[in-house]
Amino acid sequence: MTLRQKLLLVALCTLALPVAGWLYVRQMEELLRDGQAQALIASGGAVARSLVVGGGLPAGTDMPWYVQRAQTPITVDGYGDDWAPMTPWSQPVGTRGKLLLATDDTGVYLYLDVRSARRTRGDSGDRNVLAADHVTLVLGRDGGQRRYAIASSAPGPVTATSLDPAAGGLPDQLSAQWQEDGSGYRIELRLPRVDRLGVGIFDAAGGGSDANAADIRPLLNYSSQLSGELSQLLPRGVRARVLAPQGWLLAQSGHLGSAASVGEQPGWFASLIYRLLLANRLDDATLWAEDAPRLDLHEVQSAAKGEPASVWRQGEARGSVVLAAAVPVLRNGHVDGV
């Protein structure tokens, strides 16, 4: 072996030392991260079990109607201006309708937007109302329910009479507002106190088969009582949300620990080296950070299927990192929430 080859071999051996050190430090970083994630999943599981014991979590249902919290007062006029902040989370009704439900300090409100270019007109008081374009509402309370057909031949106020005999103390009539244009029509009304709601859209021109059909589901909304129970279970520096299996927000509480001050953060060169050589990829913080009524995140979807999951995300403050864990809330082997 020549002297040049020996020097090359020594140089390669010397280069192997920092590579080995980098691999060792990176492995330690991953182990520490995994340990933190497992600890947070364990804490989440303990909180989930406590919520089940407390009994404040509603039983999970496959497809509920979710009632959002209104940020501004709602005026029942048939126009969607009051509903604009909530429209990203509208719920589909069949293939033509989008439903929004909201609550404020005065009651629960419904707004239904139906796309229909061709109209077969009728009024709620007509005998043949079920043969015209109409919306069937089913209200359920205390084990009883009543059906109402809402239709109108012109924009303005509408009074719908119940199609069924009295039940559950539900009203005989519903007052609503109807507005329309060339693309369809919109219905807005204030609902009485109910625990189940059915909505069905009948399009006469489309050849609908059942004029009384309605998709009946239980109602879900944000619970201040459940949020209070959750606040008693959380350690400091932790923020938690309780979600329905579909991702709808049922409760939230807690605050994340503050990020390190600027003086405690490493310099830009050290941060650059860490991000390039050691740090794992971080998910975007936008979906996690926003105060939305529904979270459609992959860790939530995994937990809804019964599998705990964790993810590292960028924090809201520059240079901060957030560890999030999602765990299923199991009751009798069924996922009632996340």
Side-chain angles (χ1 to χ4, degrees):
M1 180 179 294
T2 64
L3 179 60
R4 180 176 295 179
Q5 291 174 332
K6 292 179 180 179
L7 290 175
L8 180 60
L9 181 61
V10 171
L12 291 175
C13 292
T14 305
L15 289 175
L17 293 177
V19 173
W22 168 70
L23 291 174
Y24 173 77
V25 174
R26 184 172 178 82
Q27 186 177 25
M28 288 298 298
E29 170 83 4
E30 292 179 355
L31 288 174
L32 290 172
R33 283 176 176 261
D34 289 344
Q36 284 185 295
Q38 293 302 319
L40 192 60
I41 288 175
S43 298
V47 172
R49 290 189 293 272
S50 298
L51 290 174
V52 172
V53 173
L57 183 70
T61 56
D62 292 334
M63 292 296 291
W65 295 120
Y66 186 75
V67 184
Q68 301 184 49
R69 183 69 184 178
Q71 302 300 318
T72 58
I74 294 178
T75 302
V76 179
D77 54 10
Y79 295 100
D81 299 349
D82 304 334
W83 300 84
M86 295 175 274
T87 51
W89 299 280
S90 60
Q91 302 165 83
V93 180
T95 59
R96 296 178 178 270
K98 292 183 178 181
L99 175 68
L100 286 166
L101 296 166
T103 181
D104 59 15
D105 295 334
T106 61
V108 178
Y109 300 86
L110 178 150
Y111 181 81
L112 180 64
D113 188 350
V114 180
R115 301 290 90 187
S116 177
R118 294 185 298 170
R119 295 290 314 282
T120 303
R121 299 182 181 276
D123 287 308
S124 293
D126 295 345
R127 290 185 177 182
N128 62 340
V129 62
L130 295 182
D133 293 348
H134 68 273
V135 170
T136 300
L137 286 186
V138 180
L139 306 183
R141 181 172 67 194
D142 301 330
Q145 68 180 35
R146 300 186 80 173
R147 293 173 302 133
Y148 307 81
I150 302 179
S152 180
S153 57
V158 179
T159 300
T161 304
S162 175
L163 303 175
D164 299 324
L170 294 165
D172 296 327
Q173 295 180 333
L174 292 179
S175 297
Q177 287 287 334
W178 180 293
Q179 300 295 339
E180 62 180 67
D181 54 29
S183 63
Y185 56 91
R186 289 155 295 281
I187 298 172
E188 187 176 16
L189 70 154
R190 181 179 176 182
L191 295 172
R193 183 183 63 84
V194 294
D195 49 42
R196 299 186 315 282
L197 175 68
V199 184
I201 299 171
F202 181 78
D203 181 22
S209 58
D210 188 352
N212 289 317
D215 187 0
I216 303 175
R217 308 182 190 180
L219 297 181
L220 277 183
N221 57 10
Y222 182 85
S223 171
S224 299
Q225 179 180 353
L226 184 60
S227 297
E229 294 181 17
L230 181 63
S231 66
Q232 303 299 317
L233 302 172
L234 297 181
R236 295 184 61 183
V238 173
R239 180 183 182 186
R241 295 180 174 106
V242 179
L243 310 173
Q246 303 80 19
W248 294 112
L249 180 65
L250 301 180
Q252 63 181 351
S253 185
H255 301 280
L256 293 177
S258 60
S261 64
V262 175
E264 296 173 337
Q265 293 188 5
W268 68 269
F269 184 73
S271 299
L272 178 63
I273 294 299
Y274 175 77
R275 288 195 302 268
L276 291 177
L277 300 180
L278 297 177
N280 293 331
R281 185 182 66 84
L282 298 177
D283 286 16
D284 186 23
T286 304
L287 293 177
W288 162 83
E290 66 181 6
D291 192 13
R294 186 176 186 179
L295 293 182
D296 189 16
L297 302 172
H298 58 81
E299 64 267 29
V300 173
Q301 296 170 1
S302 177
K305 298 176 183 177
E307 295 293 333
S310 63
V311 62
W312 292 86
R313 298 187 182 278
Q314 297 175 359
E316 295 179 274
R318 184 183 66 85
S320 64
V321 176
V322 171
L323 170 61
V327 298
V329 183
L330 297 172
R331 181 158 42 195
N332 299 325
H334 184 264
V335 178
D336 276 352
V338 175

